[in-house]
Structure formats: structure tokens, C-alpha cells
Amino acid sequence: MSDLVNTVVIVGGGTAGWLTAGLLAAEHLSDEKSGLNVVLVESPDVSPIGVGEGTWPTMRTSLQTMGISETDFFRDCDASFKQGTRFDGWLRGREEYYYHPFALPQRFHEIDLARHWQPLREKVSYADAVTPQPAACERALAPKQITTPEFASALNYGYHLDAGRFSKFLEEHCVQELGVTHILDNVVAVNSADNGDIKSLSLRSGEAVHGDLFVDCTGFAALLLGKHFGIPFCSKQQYLFNDRALAVQVPRSSYSEPIASTTLSTAQGAGWIWDIALPMRRGVGHVYSSAHMSDEQAEVDLRRYLASTANAELAESCTPRQIEFSPGHREKLWHRNCVAVGLSGGFVEPLEASALVMIELSAKMLSEQLPANRSTMDIVAKRFNDRFLYHWRRIIEFLKLHYALSKREDTDYWRDNCNASTIPPELQESLELWRYQSPKYQDLPLADELFPAASYRYVLYGMNFETEGPGEQRRSDIATRATADRLFSENTSLTAQLLKALPTNRELIDKVHEFGFQKV
Ligand code: FAD
């Protein structure tokens, strides 16, 4: 029997399933006879989770790789531009806020502007000093103009999108353009080969689907990696308490309302509320800790938020959907000839929208490193596990950073979050180090690090963290001071220019619907 990997079977037709199918099929020429056979089996009875509406800029590359037109994507997925996240009330629970923008600080790889910004910290926020993006977001501006080609930008951006429409959109593209075979049926049994690998899947129709590699995209059910192989789940609730969400879709009272170009994340008594603006509606949800707040109180707080941000009648008419989850991930993501991508591999609260980007990274590595045969699969599996367990550690630390820096003491939730026993030891070490120096590349060694040093700086300085410095002046400070002053001043001019030149998010999206972007 040949041990070549000719057929990849993906189970699950949510965002994880279709993104994986699309990225694999595009790279491996599944629309041609000689290409990889990609089969996706999806239950007609279990709907995708239908949340997950904020992406990273990486999604632009993923769409491009799959050969998708950005104009079609905007039109079909009710998409808008996302330029980062605005965090409200995280420091003291009052009116204060800060941005974690997607744009890197000016000349980030050449000069440490954070050191030069320290003396200016009372006058200007770090993010405002180093990039025009927060100012553009404050005015709900788009990151580009209609004449800017597809996927290009003046300011770095990702998307907000309608998750239900996005899965359907990807499905159509994968099946019609990329040669993915789509089977609508329930997997009712997983059949093993003599060596313990998965040999095939039995479907309710009585058919069996054979494959060489199986991708578990079955969401929280984790049918293959969890249920069949019994790979244990590692809870991370000791660090990240949130385990429930109440989600609603809020219709627009008028299609001329401004469309925010950041996700809004507003801290609450025992969690936070996300607010994602799409052209036709908003997606709003309260993520909270069931150990610190009752479901009833969570709904009251969500409704209070809705009443303050939408017209009262619309706010009242929304029926929240409750989603329960356990924060954490599987002990490993790839076992034998099965790899988990998406919720089946793990999930923690969507504070920095890290789930879709993990799917993209997983699918990208799977596609690049697709084992040619069974003999080499275990080598790739080991590397995949090392890489993604590392990513999980770092995501958890980065999310916890938002809580660990808070000065809120108004509820047990915030007090517990700052208790050292709930902060991962590696993050505690880093925080000690960052009291004397800003986060550096060497702190974050991977080339595809999810959160680069720039992200840590935006959150640390957005949350008023003090990097004291040793007081000693360095040769590099003297050498770069003039450059830093120039960059601060250029940033001010660039901000003024962009604020004049950029259309609003709403204006640009309306134009995209009407005329489309220029093709690249
Ligand atoms: P699902 O969407 O649950 O899909 C599972 C699929 O498996 C379905 O198609 C189902 O039919 C199929 N299936 C199940 N059992 C069987 C069976 N027996 N046979 C055949 N098929 C089967 N991510 C972000 O990046 N940004 C965000 O802003 C964000 N917000 C979120 C908010 C909340 C409250 C939650 C819970 C998640 C959020 N996420 C976010 C995560 C994001 O929603 C998911 O990562 C993403 O939707 C992928 O889901 P999935 O495809 O893994 O699972």
C-alpha cells in the first residue's frame, strides 16, 4: 500500500474548515488532476458557531493566497475595515481608553522610539506619538482610498465581517474555483487502521470517506482529536477566567451611521463587552467569568451597554445567545494522522481576536509542510505541536497582560486578576524586566510571533506602565535622538495629512459596493 499523502479530509464547515480547505487547495492545485485531493465533510444539522467577526491583517494575505477578490469579499460578507482595538475602562474603570493599533510604530525595526517617548509621556500617548492610526480610528476613517488597489493600504488593516456569510462565501469559492469536494453529511463513526491511524470516516448516509490525513475542524465537539483519540484538554482558567459569552446582533437604525474602524472592548465588572461594527449591523457580546458573575447580571450589563449605544427599542428587541466555553487547548494539536485546527484545538476569550489568526497560521504551516508521505508525518507533527503550543503560551500571556496591568479594584474579578498566583510565571518575569527596558525582539524570538514587541509596547504604555530605565544614557540614545525627534514630528504631519485625505469607513465601503477597488 502507498503511504503517499494524496487525500486530506477536513471535517467541519465553519471558518476553520473552509479556511484550511482554501489555503491547502490553492497551494496544492486541487483544481487540477495531479493536485492534492481536498475533501470537506460538514454536518447539515450542526451549524457553525457563527461568531468570530474580527480578523487580523493576516487575513488579507489569506484571501489573496486563495485568489479571492477583495471587492467580492466586502460585498458578500458585509465586511468593514478593522485597524486595531480600542480598550475602554481597562485601567481604572473610568472614561479612560487606549488603542492597540495594527500599524507598527514608525521605523520600528530600526529605532527604539519608546525610550525617546518616555520624557513625553505626560504630553502624548505612546500610540499617538508613533503612528497616525489611533487618530484615524477616533474619526472612524478608512485605512485607504478607493484608488488604492485591492489589499494595499495607507494604514495597516484587517477586517470585521459577518461570520455566517464568510463561511458561505469561502465554501462557494473553495468548491467552484479551487476544486474542493464538499460532502454534506454527519460523521457517525471514525474507523482505525491497524497502526492506530484514522483510516476512514463513516457517514450517516452509509458512505465511508477515506483519507491519508484528517483535519479536525469540528469546533468544540473535537470529534477526531478529542473524542476519537482522547487527547486531553489543558484548561487555562487559572489565568484567564472568562468562560461564557452572551452575543447579539444589533441592526442599524440607519445605513448612514458611522462604522467604527476598531473593535471596541469595554471593561465590565467581571469581563468585557466587544462591539464590532459592520455596514448593516453591529455584533456585540459580553464575555464574562461565571465564577464572578451570574448569567442574569451579565445580561443586565449587556442590555445597559446596548441601551447606551443603540436606540432603546432596538436594544430591547435583541435576544442574546449564550455560548459556554472552557478556556484552554488540547495537550497536542497533531496526533498520528490527525491535526486539529480551530475551536477543536482550543479557544480562549476573543480579546485580541487570536482565534482566526491561529487558524490561518495552522493552515499555512500545514500547507507549507504538508508531509509527502506517512513516513515523514510524525516529524512534521512534532514541529507543528512545538510551534503551536508555543503560540498558545504566548497568547495566554499576552491576553493576561491586559488584566495584570489593571489598577481596578472595584470587584473580586479585577482583584483576582491581579493576584500574582493567577499570572503566568513567564509573564511575571517579563513584567519585571520591562520595568527597566521596553520589550525587545529578543524577548519574542519567532519570525511569525503572534504578538510582536510592538503589540506589547502598545498595551504596556496604553495601560500607563512605567519603564524606569537604569537612568544611564546610552551611546545609541545620543546617536538616535535627532532621528527620534524627526520621526515624532513626521508622525504629526503624516497624521494631519491622512486625516484630510482618508474617507470615512462608511464612505469607502459604500464606494466599494458601488464601484469596487482597483484590481492589483
Ligand atoms: P465551528 O464554527 O463550530 O464549526 C464546526 C463545524 O463542524 C460545523 O460546520 C459542524 O457542522 C461541523 N461538525 C460538527 N460535528 C460534526 C459531525 N459529526 N459531522 C460532520 N461535521 C460536524 N475569533 C476571532 O478570530 N475573532 C473574534 O472576534 C472571535 N470572537 C469570538 C467570540 C466568541 C464568543 C467565540 C466563542 C469565539 C470567537 N472567535 C473569534 C473564535 C471563532 O469564532 C472561531 O475560531 C471560528 O469561528 C472557527 O470555528 P470552527 O470552524 O473551529 O468551529
Side-chain angles (χ1 to χ4, degrees), residues 272-317:
W272 54 277
I273 289 179
W274 82 75
D275 192 337
I276 285 182
L278 305 183
M280 316 276 277
R281 65 163 171 83
R282 284 157 56 214
V284 181
H286 188 180
V287 186
Y288 58 100
S289 157
S290 62
H292 294 87
M293 180 176 274
S294 68
D295 297 337
E296 292 71 28
Q297 187 58 46
E299 184 168 339
V300 169
D301 291 357
L302 176 63
R303 288 199 182 280
R304 186 180 310 125
Y305 177 87
L306 291 174
S308 68
T309 57
N311 92 36
E313 215 177 299
L314 280 180
E316 201 47 46
S317 67

Tab-separated table of all heavy atoms in Angstrom, residues 272-317:
chain	number	residue	atom	x	y	z
A	272	TRP	N	-15.785	41.784	29.839
A	272	TRP	CA	-15.729	42.933	28.919
A	272	TRP	C	-16.719	42.710	27.783
A	272	TRP	O	-17.158	41.588	27.548
A	272	TRP	CB	-14.305	43.105	28.373
A	272	TRP	CG	-13.743	41.884	27.732
A	272	TRP	CD1	-13.146	40.828	28.355
A	272	TRP	CD2	-13.768	41.548	26.332
A	272	TRP	NE1	-12.788	39.865	27.439
A	272	TRP	CE2	-13.152	40.274	26.190
A	272	TRP	CE3	-14.227	42.202	25.184
A	272	TRP	CZ2	-13.003	39.644	24.952
A	272	TRP	CZ3	-14.070	41.573	23.956
A	272	TRP	CH2	-13.461	40.311	23.846
A	273	ILE	N	-17.061	43.818	27.117
A	273	ILE	CA	-18.026	43.746	26.008
A	273	ILE	C	-17.318	44.087	24.704
A	273	ILE	O	-16.609	45.094	24.622
A	273	ILE	CB	-19.199	44.718	26.262
A	273	ILE	CG1	-20.059	44.158	27.410
A	273	ILE	CG2	-20.034	44.931	24.999
A	273	ILE	CD1	-21.244	45.020	27.797
A	274	TRP	N	-17.490	43.188	23.687
A	274	TRP	CA	-16.945	43.529	22.366
A	274	TRP	C	-18.040	44.199	21.553
A	274	TRP	O	-19.223	43.907	21.723
A	274	TRP	CB	-16.389	42.305	21.650
A	274	TRP	CG	-17.390	41.430	20.932
A	274	TRP	CD1	-18.013	41.677	19.750
A	274	TRP	CD2	-17.884	40.140	21.361
A	274	TRP	NE1	-18.849	40.624	19.410
A	274	TRP	CE2	-18.788	39.670	20.382
A	274	TRP	CE3	-17.641	39.332	22.477
A	274	TRP	CZ2	-19.456	38.443	20.485
A	274	TRP	CZ3	-18.299	38.110	22.573
A	274	TRP	CH2	-19.192	37.683	21.585
A	275	ASP	N	-17.626	45.088	20.675
A	275	ASP	CA	-18.561	45.805	19.811
A	275	ASP	C	-17.893	45.905	18.442
A	275	ASP	O	-16.866	46.571	18.278
A	275	ASP	CB	-18.825	47.204	20.398
A	275	ASP	CG	-20.003	47.898	19.738
A	275	ASP	OD1	-20.337	47.546	18.590
A	275	ASP	OD2	-20.573	48.814	20.369
A	276	ILE	N	-18.455	45.176	17.490
A	276	ILE	CA	-17.862	45.076	16.152
A	276	ILE	C	-18.828	45.698	15.157
A	276	ILE	O	-19.999	45.296	15.086
A	276	ILE	CB	-17.588	43.589	15.829
A	276	ILE	CG1	-16.366	43.123	16.623
A	276	ILE	CG2	-17.412	43.371	14.333
A	276	ILE	CD1	-15.939	41.695	16.369
A	277	ALA	N	-18.343	46.689	14.409
A	277	ALA	CA	-19.240	47.448	13.533
A	277	ALA	C	-19.159	46.936	12.098
A	277	ALA	O	-18.086	46.948	11.484
A	277	ALA	CB	-18.842	48.914	13.566
A	278	LEU	N	-20.282	46.464	11.581
A	278	LEU	CA	-20.390	46.080	10.169
A	278	LEU	C	-21.294	47.105	9.481
A	278	LEU	O	-22.031	47.826	10.160
A	278	LEU	CB	-21.002	44.682	10.044
A	278	LEU	CG	-20.321	43.542	10.805
A	278	LEU	CD1	-21.017	42.214	10.513
A	278	LEU	CD2	-18.858	43.451	10.440
A	279	PRO	N	-21.279	47.158	8.161
A	279	PRO	CA	-22.141	48.141	7.488
A	279	PRO	C	-23.625	47.975	7.825
A	279	PRO	O	-24.320	48.955	8.069
A	279	PRO	CB	-21.879	47.863	6.007
A	279	PRO	CG	-20.509	47.276	5.963
A	279	PRO	CD	-20.340	46.499	7.233
A	280	MET	N	-24.120	46.721	7.881
A	280	MET	CA	-25.563	46.506	8.064
A	280	MET	C	-25.998	46.301	9.516
A	280	MET	O	-27.180	46.357	9.824
A	280	MET	CB	-26.022	45.269	7.287
A	280	MET	CG	-25.482	45.164	5.898
A	280	MET	SD	-26.454	46.110	4.766
A	280	MET	CE	-27.742	44.939	4.466
A	281	ARG	N	-25.054	45.923	10.383
A	281	ARG	CA	-25.400	45.670	11.782
A	281	ARG	C	-24.155	45.763	12.639
A	281	ARG	O	-23.038	45.865	12.109
A	281	ARG	CB	-26.012	44.278	11.936
A	281	ARG	CG	-25.045	43.148	11.626
A	281	ARG	CD	-25.544	41.831	12.185
A	281	ARG	NE	-24.775	40.690	11.733
A	281	ARG	CZ	-23.633	40.256	12.263
A	281	ARG	NH1	-23.061	40.916	13.260
A	281	ARG	NH2	-23.033	39.187	11.792
A	282	ARG	N	-24.352	45.695	13.960
A	282	ARG	CA	-23.205	45.538	14.859
A	282	ARG	C	-23.280	44.151	15.484
A	282	ARG	O	-24.370	43.584	15.635
A	282	ARG	CB	-23.237	46.589	15.973
A	282	ARG	CG	-22.803	47.975	15.513
A	282	ARG	CD	-23.363	49.066	16.405
A	282	ARG	NE	-22.998	48.881	17.802
A	282	ARG	CZ	-23.776	49.214	18.825
A	282	ARG	NH1	-24.970	49.732	18.627
A	282	ARG	NH2	-23.376	49.033	20.055
A	283	GLY	N	-22.124	43.588	15.804
A	283	GLY	CA	-22.081	42.359	16.587
A	283	GLY	C	-21.558	42.753	17.962
A	283	GLY	O	-20.491	43.366	18.068
A	284	VAL	N	-22.347	42.460	19.003
A	284	VAL	CA	-21.967	42.894	20.354
A	284	VAL	C	-22.037	41.674	21.271
A	284	VAL	O	-22.925	40.826	21.116
A	284	VAL	CB	-22.924	43.996	20.867
A	284	VAL	CG1	-22.516	44.479	22.259
A	284	VAL	CG2	-22.949	45.182	19.899
A	285	GLY	N	-21.107	41.563	22.191
A	285	GLY	CA	-21.155	40.420	23.100
A	285	GLY	C	-20.471	40.716	24.419
A	285	GLY	O	-19.529	41.511	24.485
A	286	HIS	N	-20.984	40.087	25.466
A	286	HIS	CA	-20.415	40.242	26.805
A	286	HIS	C	-19.694	38.943	27.148
A	286	HIS	O	-20.315	37.886	27.210
A	286	HIS	CB	-21.556	40.508	27.796
A	286	HIS	CG	-21.090	40.878	29.169
A	286	HIS	ND1	-21.957	41.149	30.200
A	286	HIS	CD2	-19.851	41.023	29.693
A	286	HIS	CE1	-21.269	41.449	31.289
A	286	HIS	NE2	-19.996	41.375	31.011
A	287	VAL	N	-18.392	39.020	27.330
A	287	VAL	CA	-17.597	37.848	27.724
A	287	VAL	C	-17.356	37.979	29.212
A	287	VAL	O	-16.888	39.033	29.668
A	287	VAL	CB	-16.230	37.856	26.999
A	287	VAL	CG1	-15.466	36.586	27.297
A	287	VAL	CG2	-16.416	38.002	25.513
A	288	TYR	N	-17.645	36.950	29.988
A	288	TYR	CA	-17.534	37.105	31.441
A	288	TYR	C	-17.159	35.795	32.120
A	288	TYR	O	-17.167	34.726	31.506
A	288	TYR	CB	-18.841	37.662	32.018
A	288	TYR	CG	-20.064	36.808	31.734
A	288	TYR	CD1	-20.575	35.939	32.697
A	288	TYR	CD2	-20.691	36.849	30.487
A	288	TYR	CE1	-21.694	35.148	32.439
A	288	TYR	CE2	-21.793	36.053	30.216
A	288	TYR	CZ	-22.287	35.214	31.184
A	288	TYR	OH	-23.377	34.423	30.915
A	289	SER	N	-16.862	35.934	33.397
A	289	SER	CA	-16.452	34.776	34.192
A	289	SER	C	-17.647	34.309	35.011
A	289	SER	O	-18.158	35.060	35.850
A	289	SER	CB	-15.305	35.204	35.117
A	289	SER	OG	-15.230	34.349	36.228
A	290	SER	N	-18.063	33.054	34.801
A	290	SER	CA	-19.248	32.559	35.518
A	290	SER	C	-18.950	32.403	37.015
A	290	SER	O	-19.854	32.338	37.828
A	290	SER	CB	-19.732	31.230	34.932
A	290	SER	OG	-18.731	30.253	35.079
A	291	ALA	N	-17.673	32.362	37.374
A	291	ALA	CA	-17.342	32.263	38.799
A	291	ALA	C	-17.504	33.615	39.483
A	291	ALA	O	-17.575	33.697	40.713
A	291	ALA	CB	-15.906	31.777	38.957
A	292	HIS	N	-17.541	34.691	38.686
A	292	HIS	CA	-17.595	36.030	39.288
A	292	HIS	C	-18.899	36.765	39.014
A	292	HIS	O	-19.148	37.820	39.589
A	292	HIS	CB	-16.438	36.891	38.759
A	292	HIS	CG	-15.095	36.411	39.184
A	292	HIS	ND1	-14.391	35.470	38.474
A	292	HIS	CD2	-14.319	36.739	40.249
A	292	HIS	CE1	-13.231	35.235	39.086
A	292	HIS	NE2	-13.177	35.998	40.165
A	293	MET	N	-19.704	36.247	38.072
A	293	MET	CA	-20.944	36.966	37.733
A	293	MET	C	-22.021	35.981	37.281
A	293	MET	O	-21.710	35.014	36.564
A	293	MET	CB	-20.665	37.970	36.613
A	293	MET	CG	-21.889	38.766	36.208
A	293	MET	SD	-21.507	40.019	34.968
A	293	MET	CE	-20.987	41.377	36.007
A	294	SER	N	-23.268	36.259	37.682
A	294	SER	CA	-24.370	35.381	37.257
A	294	SER	C	-24.729	35.704	35.809
A	294	SER	O	-24.460	36.813	35.312
A	294	SER	CB	-25.584	35.602	38.157
A	294	SER	OG	-26.098	36.898	37.915
A	295	ASP	N	-25.391	34.752	35.153
A	295	ASP	CA	-25.833	34.985	33.773
A	295	ASP	C	-26.820	36.148	33.724
A	295	ASP	O	-26.814	36.949	32.784
A	295	ASP	CB	-26.520	33.725	33.217
A	295	ASP	CG	-25.546	32.559	33.139
A	295	ASP	OD1	-24.327	32.805	33.083
A	295	ASP	OD2	-26.012	31.403	33.150
A	296	GLU	N	-27.672	36.242	34.744
A	296	GLU	CA	-28.694	37.305	34.768
A	296	GLU	C	-28.016	38.678	34.800
A	296	GLU	O	-28.359	39.588	34.058
A	296	GLU	CB	-29.612	37.180	36.009
A	296	GLU	CG	-30.521	35.960	36.024
A	296	GLU	CD	-29.757	34.638	36.256
A	296	GLU	OE1	-28.681	34.663	36.901
A	296	GLU	OE2	-30.223	33.592	35.759
A	297	GLN	N	-27.011	38.800	35.693
A	297	GLN	CA	-26.331	40.094	35.812
A	297	GLN	C	-25.578	40.409	34.515
A	297	GLN	O	-25.551	41.561	34.068
A	297	GLN	CB	-25.356	40.054	36.998
A	297	GLN	CG	-24.714	41.401	37.307
A	297	GLN	CD	-25.738	42.493	37.603
A	297	GLN	OE1	-26.680	42.279	38.362
A	297	GLN	NE2	-25.586	43.657	36.973
A	298	ALA	N	-25.004	39.366	33.895
A	298	ALA	CA	-24.271	39.583	32.639
A	298	ALA	C	-25.218	40.149	31.584
A	298	ALA	O	-24.859	41.039	30.811
A	298	ALA	CB	-23.647	38.279	32.165
A	299	GLU	N	-26.451	39.647	31.563
A	299	GLU	CA	-27.412	40.143	30.573
A	299	GLU	C	-27.837	41.573	30.896
A	299	GLU	O	-27.973	42.406	29.998
A	299	GLU	CB	-28.634	39.216	30.500
A	299	GLU	CG	-29.574	39.664	29.408
A	299	GLU	CD	-30.672	38.666	29.060
A	299	GLU	OE1	-30.518	37.458	29.348
A	299	GLU	OE2	-31.700	39.122	28.513
A	300	VAL	N	-28.033	41.846	32.186
A	300	VAL	CA	-28.393	43.218	32.574
A	300	VAL	C	-27.308	44.191	32.092
A	300	VAL	O	-27.587	45.233	31.492
A	300	VAL	CB	-28.563	43.316	34.121
A	300	VAL	CG1	-28.659	44.754	34.585
A	300	VAL	CG2	-29.779	42.496	34.574
A	301	ASP	N	-26.054	43.824	32.323
A	301	ASP	CA	-24.950	44.724	31.945
A	301	ASP	C	-24.865	44.880	30.423
A	301	ASP	O	-24.583	45.962	29.910
A	301	ASP	CB	-23.616	44.194	32.489
A	301	ASP	CG	-23.557	44.306	34.009
A	301	ASP	OD1	-24.517	44.843	34.599
A	301	ASP	OD2	-22.568	43.843	34.604
A	302	LEU	N	-25.126	43.778	29.707
A	302	LEU	CA	-25.107	43.849	28.241
A	302	LEU	C	-26.221	44.776	27.756
A	302	LEU	O	-26.002	45.646	26.902
A	302	LEU	CB	-25.275	42.445	27.642
A	302	LEU	CG	-25.367	42.374	26.118
A	302	LEU	CD1	-24.076	42.868	25.458
A	302	LEU	CD2	-25.637	40.934	25.649
A	303	ARG	N	-27.406	44.623	28.328
A	303	ARG	CA	-28.536	45.468	27.893
A	303	ARG	C	-28.277	46.937	28.226
A	303	ARG	O	-28.644	47.824	27.468
A	303	ARG	CB	-29.845	44.987	28.528
A	303	ARG	CG	-30.315	43.675	27.920
A	303	ARG	CD	-31.786	43.410	28.166
A	303	ARG	NE	-32.150	42.127	27.602
A	303	ARG	CZ	-32.415	41.897	26.315
A	303	ARG	NH1	-32.348	42.892	25.443
A	303	ARG	NH2	-32.730	40.696	25.879
A	304	ARG	N	-27.633	47.167	29.360
A	304	ARG	CA	-27.321	48.563	29.730
A	304	ARG	C	-26.365	49.145	28.671
A	304	ARG	O	-26.535	50.278	28.216
A	304	ARG	CB	-26.683	48.599	31.116
A	304	ARG	CG	-26.476	50.035	31.600
A	304	ARG	CD	-25.848	50.135	32.985
A	304	ARG	NE	-26.497	49.328	33.983
A	304	ARG	CZ	-25.873	48.411	34.749
A	304	ARG	NH1	-24.576	48.210	34.613
A	304	ARG	NH2	-26.539	47.712	35.657
A	305	TYR	N	-25.387	48.350	28.270
A	305	TYR	CA	-24.432	48.809	27.253
A	305	TYR	C	-25.170	49.091	25.942
A	305	TYR	O	-24.958	50.126	25.299
A	305	TYR	CB	-23.349	47.747	27.032
A	305	TYR	CG	-22.369	48.120	25.956
A	305	TYR	CD1	-21.236	48.881	26.245
A	305	TYR	CD2	-22.577	47.733	24.629
A	305	TYR	CE1	-20.341	49.239	25.248
A	305	TYR	CE2	-21.685	48.083	23.624
A	305	TYR	CZ	-20.572	48.835	23.937
A	305	TYR	OH	-19.686	49.205	22.947
A	306	LEU	N	-26.063	48.166	25.551
A	306	LEU	CA	-26.788	48.338	24.284
A	306	LEU	C	-27.638	49.598	24.320
A	306	LEU	O	-27.686	50.368	23.355
A	306	LEU	CB	-27.680	47.126	24.013
A	306	LEU	CG	-26.953	45.817	23.690
A	306	LEU	CD1	-27.937	44.660	23.596
A	306	LEU	CD2	-26.168	45.943	22.386
A	307	ALA	N	-28.287	49.812	25.471
A	307	ALA	CA	-29.158	50.991	25.585
A	307	ALA	C	-28.340	52.268	25.457
A	307	ALA	O	-28.830	53.281	24.948
A	307	ALA	CB	-29.903	50.942	26.914
A	308	SER	N	-27.066	52.220	25.889
A	308	SER	CA	-26.268	53.450	25.820
A	308	SER	C	-25.624	53.628	24.435
A	308	SER	O	-25.059	54.679	24.156
A	308	SER	CB	-25.182	53.432	26.895
A	308	SER	OG	-24.225	52.442	26.589
A	309	THR	N	-25.696	52.608	23.577
A	309	THR	CA	-25.005	52.728	22.285
A	309	THR	C	-25.922	52.508	21.076
A	309	THR	O	-25.454	52.552	19.943
A	309	THR	CB	-23.853	51.696	22.189
A	309	THR	OG1	-24.405	50.390	22.385
A	309	THR	CG2	-22.770	51.950	23.201
A	310	ALA	N	-27.193	52.169	21.316
A	310	ALA	CA	-28.117	51.985	20.180
A	310	ALA	C	-29.459	52.572	20.601
A	310	ALA	O	-29.652	52.854	21.785
A	310	ALA	CB	-28.291	50.502	19.877
A	311	ASN	N	-30.392	52.694	19.651
A	311	ASN	CA	-31.657	53.243	20.110
A	311	ASN	C	-32.376	52.213	20.983
A	311	ASN	O	-32.251	51.005	20.808
A	311	ASN	CB	-32.473	53.842	18.956
A	311	ASN	CG	-33.434	52.882	18.310
A	311	ASN	OD1	-34.036	52.040	18.983
A	311	ASN	ND2	-33.585	53.016	17.011
A	312	ALA	N	-33.097	52.721	21.996
A	312	ALA	CA	-33.589	51.879	23.086
A	312	ALA	C	-34.464	50.733	22.575
A	312	ALA	O	-34.377	49.611	23.069
A	312	ALA	CB	-34.369	52.741	24.070
A	313	GLU	N	-35.252	51.012	21.549
A	313	GLU	CA	-36.169	49.987	21.035
A	313	GLU	C	-35.388	48.818	20.424
A	313	GLU	O	-35.662	47.648	20.694
A	313	GLU	CB	-37.021	50.624	19.945
A	313	GLU	CG	-38.438	50.093	19.901
A	313	GLU	CD	-39.193	50.856	18.834
A	313	GLU	OE1	-39.319	52.110	18.965
A	313	GLU	OE2	-39.591	50.220	17.873
A	314	LEU	N	-34.372	49.180	19.614
A	314	LEU	CA	-33.541	48.132	19.000
A	314	LEU	C	-32.835	47.321	20.077
A	314	LEU	O	-32.790	46.094	20.036
A	314	LEU	CB	-32.482	48.761	18.094
A	314	LEU	CG	-32.918	49.185	16.712
A	314	LEU	CD1	-31.743	49.779	15.949
A	314	LEU	CD2	-33.442	47.973	15.942
A	315	ALA	N	-32.293	48.041	21.063
A	315	ALA	CA	-31.557	47.372	22.134
A	315	ALA	C	-32.460	46.380	22.851
A	315	ALA	O	-32.061	45.258	23.155
A	315	ALA	CB	-31.020	48.402	23.116
A	316	GLU	N	-33.695	46.778	23.073
A	316	GLU	CA	-34.642	45.933	23.819
A	316	GLU	C	-35.037	44.701	23.008
A	316	GLU	O	-35.257	43.613	23.551
A	316	GLU	CB	-35.880	46.799	24.148
A	316	GLU	CG	-36.735	46.305	25.292
A	316	GLU	CD	-35.934	45.904	26.532
A	316	GLU	OE1	-35.027	46.659	26.960
A	316	GLU	OE2	-36.213	44.806	27.035
A	317	SER	N	-35.070	44.860	21.670
A	317	SER	CA	-35.571	43.758	20.832
A	317	SER	C	-34.539	42.638	20.628
A	317	SER	O	-34.851	41.573	20.109
A	317	SER	CB	-36.001	44.306	19.468
A	317	SER	OG	-34.844	44.765	18.804
